[in-house]
């Protein structure tokens, strides 16, 4: 243990971080600091080096902040310039490991760090970072552990369980057309290395057709070489654009369409053009990558001498050398890019051929990250794969695929369940078959593992829905005040006790156990939001529906802005009126430096979430509307305070609850349907859905007859209804139907 250590890393304060950190200390409102940071681009104009000082020179709003009358803002910019580049904190290198024949502390200073995988355990790490550690004479090895390998292992197991096939990852065909089609369409969410929005865009433009294209994109898609990607794409599309400074260079640059992408290409070309030895070519790679000027100058002289000796003109050699110098600091190791691309290809192959099994594996490995789970569930929806809630007869420990090709939520992912309880439910089901009812389940499972808390969690999350008992009933009470879950747990314990006694008796017959099942109480129905909020509390996300589904038609027909658009203030200023709706998920009150009250409200809809900022009287007037869990409809305007300023004012015209908006505005719901598609089944379905939903919306039918090319508008004789999610979903799911709202 004293001869092996991790390597420390030193995190320094970058441009944006230094502004954020100082702003926090100076108590500048987070919103203002974030707005300032958003003004800083990834690259400064005219090739300026990125720094706070240069950003202030290039961006007028930052100059305004530096000269601001607000002392906190002024100090933020001043101290950010001073602190930029200083060490902010330490960490551990992701894969670097130092090995020594003696105790490492005999050679270099060491420190300890917390082991994230095993809290409480201390890791030994060097105090010298990776840039200098090898100069001490110690061996540095890289051991890279990828979560993706665990995802692939789980995907292989999912496929084996659902189809019986055993996939050998090393024998996947590298020319598989279906996988390249996935890359060409940019459908790479959930795959390794290629899932960012920018990468998806470039893949659609490139239309990769061979594995070499993927290796090159993996190496190029990083700061610096990214500038070469448009040229790389243009050359693949039009081979006439591929040019070589010296014809013999085609041997090593053909696969990358004449562009130097990899360190290995520089090494091979230096040997080909200037007779470098293998050792010299490797020294060149190191010198270029680490910008060792003295070594570079020495090698440059050797390059010209060897190149001219081989008959190449000095001006051409000079151009090649200058290109290499410019690119070398970005040059990537091809062997590394190849390994990454091969793992990436394996993930894409699974997504193309076994989409449900692969996405289930991806979600299983992201159980702790609800934001990622939500993103992957949206991707499943786009792929036409249903993601269903937990079920005691279908769910496994983690996400899995049922016999219909749908993804089931894992039992271990339910809060309050625990691995032991989940394993007990699954093992009993696999040993003795599916559970026929909730009574059958409590008769059979180990109740010391599956306790009352676990049963409650299963009921609230929908794990018992397939048994036909409403979730509310499990919390209904009998005449003694005991809940159904209490009675159910006692019933299971009594049944198993009696069964054990019968087995132990001389003439015992375990089948003769008779214990009366407790009656299922009738309980008051929960509202949709209450039921879904309980579900979200247990699984982290809304699974069976969304609280806004009842108001879906309001969001679609009456809103011109999604909550995820609230960040782009300049775009909102361009709109004469902004209308948006959603559910309040967070509120916080504060006081400005001038002593005025203010508030920040987070609102969420189907598109995502965004924040509204209220100041002074506006906050005093409207804050009572913003209780967490409420659904609201907001009508407002955004105006620029000054023509050159990035600060925007919110002016509210009206805010009301979504229920009020729905009742006031949704006067008519018209189902548009092809006459050829109307039959008794459709009529019965619609009548069933609307007959028990009294409201204030009149139902109409717009029937189109394709034979006569006529449309007939009919008013329903059913009394006014409330258009619920069931009816909207029914219409949306039928290709022969659509709807409009007045």
């Amino acid at each position: 243990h004293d001869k092996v250590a991790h390597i420390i890393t030193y995190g320094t304060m970058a441009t944006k971080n230094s502004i954020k950190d100082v702003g926090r200390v100076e108590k500048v409102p987070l919103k203002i600091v974030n707005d300032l940071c958003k003004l800083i681009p990834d690259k400064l104009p005219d090739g300026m080096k990125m720094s706070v000082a240069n950003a202030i020179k290039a961006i007028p709003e930052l100059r305004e902040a530096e000269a601001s009358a607000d002392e906190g803002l002024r100090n933020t910019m001043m101290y950010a310039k001073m602190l930029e580049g200083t060490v902010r904190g330490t960490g551990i290198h992701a894969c670097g490991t130092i090995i020594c024949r003696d105790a490492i502390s005999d050679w270099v200073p060491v420190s300890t760090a917390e082991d994230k995988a095993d809290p409480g355990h201390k890791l030994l790490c060097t105090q010298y970072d990776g840039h200098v550690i090898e100069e001490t004479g110690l061996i540095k090895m890289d051991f890279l552990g990828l979560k993706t390998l665990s995802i692939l292992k789980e995907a292989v197991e999912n496929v084996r369980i659902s189809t019986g096939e055993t996939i050998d990852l090393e024998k996947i065909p590298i020319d598989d057309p279906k996988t390249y089609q996935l890359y060409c369409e940019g459908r790479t969410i959930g795959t390794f290395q290629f899932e960012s929005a920018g990468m998806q865009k470039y893949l659609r433009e490139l239309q990769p057709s061979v594995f070499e294209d993927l290796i090159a994109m993996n190496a190029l898609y990083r700061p610096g070489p990214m500038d070469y990607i448009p040229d790389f794409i243009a050359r693949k599309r039009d081979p006439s654009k591929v040019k070589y400074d010296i014809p013999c260079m085609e041997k090593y640059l053909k696969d990358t369409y004449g562009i130097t992408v990899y360190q290995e290409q520089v090494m091979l070309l230096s040997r080909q053009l200037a007779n470098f030895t293998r050792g010299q070519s490797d020294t060149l790679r190191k010198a270029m990558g680490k910008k060792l000027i003295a070594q570079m100058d020495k090698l440059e002289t050797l390059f010209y001498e060897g190149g001219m000796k081989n008959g190449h003109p000095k001006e051409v050699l000079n151009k090649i050398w200058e290109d290499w110098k410019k690119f070398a600091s970005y040059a990537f190791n091809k062997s590394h890019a190849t390994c990454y691309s091969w793992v990436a290809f394996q993930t894409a192959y699974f997504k193309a051929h076994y989409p449900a099994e692969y996405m289930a594996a991806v979600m299983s490995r992201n159980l702790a990250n609800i934001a990622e789970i939500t993103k992957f569930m949206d991707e499943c929806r786009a792929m036409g794969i249903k993601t269903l809630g937990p079920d005691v007869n279908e769910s496994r420990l983690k996400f899995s695929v049922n016999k219909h090709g749908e993804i089931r939520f894992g039992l271990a992912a339910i809060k309050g369940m625990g691995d032991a309880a989940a394993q007990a439910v699954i093992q009993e089901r696999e040993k003795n078959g599916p559970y026929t009812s909730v009574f059958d389940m409590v008769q059979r499972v180990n109740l010391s593992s599956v306790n009352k808390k676990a049963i409650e969690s299963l009921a609230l999350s929908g794990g018992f829905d397939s048994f036909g008992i409403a979730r509310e009933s499990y919390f209904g009470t009998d005449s003694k005040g005991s809940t159904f879950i209490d009675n159910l747990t006692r019933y299971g314990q009594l049944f198993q006790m009696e069964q054990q006694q019968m087995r132990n008796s001389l003439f015992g017959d375990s089948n003769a156990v008779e214990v009366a099942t407790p009656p299922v109480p009738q309980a008051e129905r929960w509202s949709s939001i209450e039921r879904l909020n309980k579900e979200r509390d247990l699984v982290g996300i809304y699974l069976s529906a969304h609280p806004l589904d009842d108001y879906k038609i309001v969001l679609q027909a009456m809103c011109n802005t999604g909550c995820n658009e609230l960040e782009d203030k300049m775009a909102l200023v361009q709109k004469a009126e902004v209308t948006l709706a959603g559910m309040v998920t967070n509120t916080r009150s504060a006081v400005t430096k001038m002593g005025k009250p203010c508030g920040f409200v987070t609102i969420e809809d189907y598109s995502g979430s965004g924040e509204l900022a209220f100041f002074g009287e506006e906050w005093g007037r409207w804050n009572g509307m913003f209780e967490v869990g409420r659904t609201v409809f907001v009508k407002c305007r955004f105006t620029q305070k000054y023509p050159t300023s990035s600060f925007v004012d919110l002016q509210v015209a009206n805010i009301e609850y979504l229920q009020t908006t729905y009742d006031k505005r949704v006067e008519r719901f018209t189902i548009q349907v092809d006459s050829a598609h109307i039959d008794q089944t459709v009529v019965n379905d619609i009548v069933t859905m609307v007959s028990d939903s009294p409201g204030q919306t009149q139902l109409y039918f717009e029937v189109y007859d394709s034979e006569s090319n006529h449309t007939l508008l009919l008013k329903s004789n059913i009394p006014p209804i409330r258009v619920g999610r069931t009816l909207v979903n029914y219409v949306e799911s039928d290709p022969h139907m659509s709807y409009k709202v007045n």
Side-chain angles (χ1 to χ4, degrees):
H1 75 277
D2 59 340
K3 297 177 177 68
V4 177
H6 291 266
I7 301 170
I8 203 164
T9 57
Y10 292 105
T12 56
M13 292 177 78
T15 305
K16 291 182 183 179
N17 270 346
S18 57
I19 293 173
K20 284 182 180 177
D21 285 354
V22 177
R24 195 178 302 118
V25 175
E26 288 291 329
K27 295 187 171 54
V28 176
L30 183 64
K31 178 76 178 59
I32 294 173
V33 173
N34 285 342
D35 284 344
L36 289 174
C37 290
K38 281 172 196 166
L39 294 168
I40 302 172
D42 293 331
K43 276 183 176 179
L44 292 176
D46 304 324
M48 293 167 75
K49 186 184 173 187
M50 178 59 75
S51 69
V52 176
N54 286 340
I56 290 170
K57 283 179 194 170
I59 299 158
E61 287 88 349
L62 294 182
R63 289 201 296 275
E64 282 179 31
E66 189 182 37
S68 169
D70 185 322
E71 187 184 2
L73 201 53
R74 210 168 51 245
N75 285 345
T76 296
M77 304 311 293
M78 178 177 71
Y79 291 127
K81 281 195 286 187
M82 295 162 65
L83 291 171
E84 186 178 22
T86 56
V87 173
R88 185 177 188 269
T90 61
I92 294 178
H93 192 280
C95 52
T97 305
I98 289 296
I99 302 170
C100 184
R101 63 168 173 252
D102 311 311
I104 288 180
S105 56
D106 292 350
W107 291 89
V108 297
V110 295
S111 64
T112 57
E114 191 77 29
D115 184 355
K116 288 181 182 173
D118 183 10
H121 178 248
K122 294 290 183 184
L123 295 172
L124 204 63
C125 62
T126 66
Q127 288 190 37
Y128 293 156
D129 69 9
H131 295 98
V132 295
I133 194 70
E134 284 179 298
E135 293 175 25
T136 64
L138 300 179
I139 296 173
K140 178 166 83 76
M141 302 290 283
D142 274 5
F143 298 104
L144 182 61
L146 289 178
K147 182 170 72 174
T148 306
L149 299 179
S150 299
I151 290 172
L152 285 168
K153 181 181 174 185
E154 199 147 324
V156 168
E157 180 62 10
N158 287 346
V159 171
R160 188 192 65 76
I161 291 168
S162 64
T163 69
E165 291 179 66
T166 301
I167 307 294
D168 185 342
L169 285 168
E170 297 307 316
K171 292 183 179 172
I172 289 170
I174 204 163
D175 57 352
D176 178 62
K178 210 169 177 183
T179 306
Y180 284 103
Q181 185 186 350
L182 181 140
Y183 278 120
C184 291
E185 292 170 3
R187 295 184 289 109
T188 53
I189 288 175
T191 66
F192 183 54
Q193 288 283 302
F194 288 85
E195 71 171 332
S196 70
M199 180 64 96
Q200 288 177 42
K201 169 181 167 283
Y202 284 131
L203 287 171
R204 285 191 288 267
E205 291 174 11
L206 177 68
Q207 295 289 294
S209 53
V210 290
F211 191 59
E212 281 284 350
D213 289 343
L214 299 178
I215 301 171
M217 283 303 290
N218 201 303
L220 287 169
Y221 194 79
R222 58 197 72 248
M226 202 181 281
D227 295 342
Y228 292 83
I229 292 178
D231 189 25
F232 183 82
I233 292 169
R235 290 179 182 215
K236 176 176 168 66
R237 288 184 161 187
D238 183 1
S240 67
K241 291 183 177 178
V242 178
K243 302 241 181 339
Y244 304 98
D245 293 318
I246 300 171
C248 66
M249 295 172 75
E250 181 178 356
K251 180 181 177 183
Y252 297 122
L253 298 182
K254 186 179 179 183
D255 287 339
T256 53
Y257 312 110
I259 296 173
T260 307
V261 174
Y262 314 115
Q263 292 174 344
E264 288 90 337
Q265 288 173 319
V266 171
M267 294 167 71
L268 290 164
L269 287 168
S270 68
R271 282 152 54 186
Q272 181 195 47
L273 299 174
N275 302 329
F276 273 35
T277 64
R278 281 176 166 79
Q280 286 171 332
S281 67
D282 191 50
T283 305
L284 171 65
R285 173 190 65 80
K286 282 185 182 174
M288 283 183 159
K290 296 182 180 179
K291 296 192 172 107
L292 305 173
I293 306 300
Q295 278 190 355
M296 285 281 290
D297 291 342
K298 186 179 170 186
L299 291 166
E300 184 175 8
T301 306
L302 285 173
F303 181 72
Y304 291 143
E305 285 173 6
M308 287 190 288
K309 200 173 179 181
N310 286 337
H312 304 309
K314 184 168 183 182
E315 58 272 19
V316 177
L317 291 170
N318 182 57
K319 178 188 178 298
I320 293 168
W321 186 262
E322 290 304 317
D323 285 347
W324 284 359
K325 273 205 311 195
K326 189 168 55 173
F327 185 73
S329 58
Y330 307 136
F332 202 68
N333 181 294
K334 185 179 182 182
S335 53
H336 184 78
T338 304
C339 292
Y340 264 28
S341 299
W342 175 231
V343 174
F345 189 87
Q346 291 172 333
T347 63
Y349 178 88
F350 265 97
K351 189 177 179 187
H353 290 270
Y354 306 96
E357 288 83 357
Y358 178 70
M359 292 307 289
V362 171
M363 289 194 279
S364 292
R365 288 288 162 176
N366 285 277
L367 276 177
N369 191 333
I370 290 302
E372 285 293 288
I373 292 281
T374 306
K375 179 181 86 174
F376 295 134
M377 283 181 66
D378 288 342
E379 177 68 2
C380 288
R381 217 168 283 128
M383 294 161 69
I385 302 167
K386 282 187 180 176
T387 308
L388 308 174
D391 181 88
V392 287
N393 274 331
E394 282 194 348
S395 293
R396 301 185 65 77
L397 204 62
K398 299 176 184 173
F399 284 89
S400 58
V401 180
N402 66 14
K403 59 187 176 186
H404 305 295
E406 302 158 333
I407 294 176
R408 272 283 179 197
F409 217 91
L411 294 181
I414 304 169
K415 287 175 193 165
M417 190 70 185
D419 278 8
Q423 288 281 21
V425 170
I426 294 163
Q427 283 168 5
E428 171 57 32
R429 183 183 76 209
E430 289 178 347
K431 187 178 174 185
N432 296 310
Y435 303 108
T436 56
S437 68
V438 71
F439 302 110
D440 180 45
M441 196 203 85
V442 295
Q443 287 171 11
R444 289 164 51 186
V445 296
N446 180 349
L447 291 172
S448 60
S449 297
V450 187
N451 56 21
K452 179 189 162 188
K453 176 68 179 165
I455 293 171
E456 187 177 298
S457 296
L458 281 166
L460 284 170
S461 63
F464 296 145
D465 284 3
S466 58
F467 297 141
I469 299 173
R471 296 182 197 181
E472 298 90 336
S473 296
Y474 290 95
F475 301 89
T477 53
D478 59 14
S479 56
K480 296 176 183 174
S482 293
T483 65
F484 180 49
I485 283 184
D486 288 330
N487 295 337
L488 197 59
T489 309
R490 277 196 291 271
Y491 163 76
Q493 290 166 340
L494 184 59
F495 184 92
Q496 291 184 21
M497 201 186 304
E498 293 274 333
Q499 194 176 47
Q500 190 61 41
Q501 287 174 356
M502 290 294 286
R503 280 200 194 105
N504 294 339
S505 72
L506 188 60
F507 306 105
D509 179 3
S510 60
N511 294 323
V513 175
E514 285 187 19
V515 180
T517 57
V520 180
Q522 292 298 314
E524 188 181 339
R525 297 284 289 178
W526 295 330
S527 67
S528 298
I529 287 181
E530 189 179 2
R531 183 170 65 86
L532 291 169
N533 281 341
K534 289 177 190 295
E535 183 181 281
R536 188 170 76 161
D537 288 343
L538 284 156
V539 295
I541 46 180
Y542 297 115
L543 270 172
S544 54
H546 193 283
L548 294 171
D549 285 349
D550 281 340
Y551 308 105
K552 193 174 186 178
I553 55 177
V554 174
L555 273 78
Q556 289 179 342
M558 299 178 193
C559 297
N560 63 12
T561 304
C563 291
N564 65 333
E565 297 174 58
L566 288 175
E567 205 172 309
D568 189 353
K569 296 291 188 287
M570 289 304 121
L572 297 173
V573 168
Q574 308 306 316
K575 296 184 181 184
E577 183 178 68
V578 171
T579 51
L580 63 107
M583 185 170 68
V584 178
T585 56
N586 189 41
T587 64
R588 56 192 175 88
S589 298
V591 178
T592 67
K593 288 194 173 183
M594 305 297 289
K596 284 190 173 184
C598 61
F600 303 91
V601 180
T602 305
I603 299 182
E604 183 182 303
D605 64 7
Y606 296 116
S607 68
S609 62
E611 191 176 74
L612 292 172
F614 297 83
F615 294 92
E617 285 74 17
E618 288 279 85
W619 181 236
R621 182 181 174 194
W622 298 110
N623 71 74
M625 296 289 291
F626 298 118
E627 191 178 324
V628 172
R630 296 281 185 209
T631 54
V632 292
F633 180 82
V634 181
K635 197 185 279 189
C636 59
R637 275 193 70 210
F638 288 85
T639 55
Q640 245 173 313
K641 210 163 186 179
Y642 310 107
T644 57
S645 171
S646 62
F647 297 106
V648 170
D649 271 349
L650 167 67
Q651 296 167 348
V652 178
N654 189 37
I655 299 174
E656 57 192 20
Y657 294 125
L658 259 178
Q659 177 71 56
T660 308
T661 307
Y662 180 95
D663 291 341
K664 274 170 35 183
R665 314 268 180 93
V666 185
E667 296 172 3
R668 179 191 292 190
F669 184 80
T670 306
I671 298 176
Q672 299 163 309
V673 59
D674 189 325
S675 62
H677 184 63
I678 299 176
D679 57 23
Q680 195 56 48
T681 305
V682 172
V683 173
N684 287 343
D685 284 347
I686 294 174
V687 168
T688 302
M689 281 183 276
V690 302
S691 56
D692 295 327
S693 305
Q696 299 176 29
T697 305
Q698 187 64 54
L699 180 63
Y700 280 75
F701 290 88
E702 191 173 284
V703 183
Y704 172 67
D705 182 19
S706 50
E707 286 185 20
S708 62
N709 199 24
H710 275 89
T711 300
L712 189 64
L713 183 67
L714 302 167
K715 182 180 178 183
S716 167
N717 60 7
I718 293 173
I721 62 165
R722 187 174 203 291
V723 183
R725 71 164 70 94
T726 313
L727 180 60
V728 172
N729 290 345
Y730 177 79
V731 175
E732 285 185 337
S733 65
D734 193 320
H736 303 280
M737 288 188 187
S738 59
Y739 69 81
K740 62 182 180 182
V741 180
N742 299 94

